Amino acid sequence: MADHDSNTPYVPDIDEVLTDAELLVLQRQYEREHPNVRVQTRFNYAWGLTKGNKKQQQQLGIQMMHDIYDEVPERRRECMYYLALGYFRTGEYSNARVHIERLLALEPNNSQARDMRKRIEDKVTRDGIIGLALAGGAVAVVGVVAAAIFGKKSSK
């Protein structure tokens, strides 16, 4: 739970990672049903992949969720949430925001989605502040180096 503090909503799906053994159970079920995989099995496997600890797994889970979203209209609500989760976990915060906003447009009182939106906003804000601090530090270093260089030239 590295990103959670007392001022940030707790969204357990963001921090929960499936173990390789847990993911293997979902993968085996998917493989047993291939080529006629049930929607629920596809969804479970995609869900598990988004909660994996490898970016490649998460990206595959996102792709599978997109496929289910396109093919099965009655699963779109769940897909929007887990697409937001998958994109959040891969660091694609703008895509995460798009999907959580779509869900909130349909269900404005969905507290789970509102908490997810807050986590996305907090992460973007925190990363933006860190980025500004790093950029500011870099500018300061360049200024010090430039001053040292020009100071040496003017004293000659």
Side-chain angles (χ1 to χ4, degrees), residues 12 14 29-30 32 37 40 43 48-49 60 67 81 85 96-98 103 111-112 120 124 136 142 147:
I14 288 177
Q29 179 65 34
Y30 180 88
R32 269 194 301 275
V37 182
Q40 185 62 49
F43 182 87
L49 287 166
L60 177 57
D67 293 343
Y81 180 80
L85 171 74
R97 185 181 286 151
V98 165
L103 177 54
S111 61
Q112 183 182 28
I120 293 166
V124 168
V142 168

Side-chain angles (χ1 to χ4, degrees), residues 106-152:
L106 297 172
E107 299 179 10
N109 296 321
N110 182 323
S111 61
Q112 183 182 28
R114 288 195 330 244
D115 288 348
M116 172 75 82
R117 178 175 57 191
K118 176 83 169 101
R119 285 291 296 270
I120 293 166
E121 290 170 355
D122 289 350
K123 184 71 172 164
V124 168
T125 299
R126 191 180 74 193
D127 285 1
I129 289 170
I130 291 169
L132 287 174
L134 291 173
V139 168
V141 168
V142 168
V144 169
V145 170
I149 290 170
F150 290 122
K152 286 182 182 178

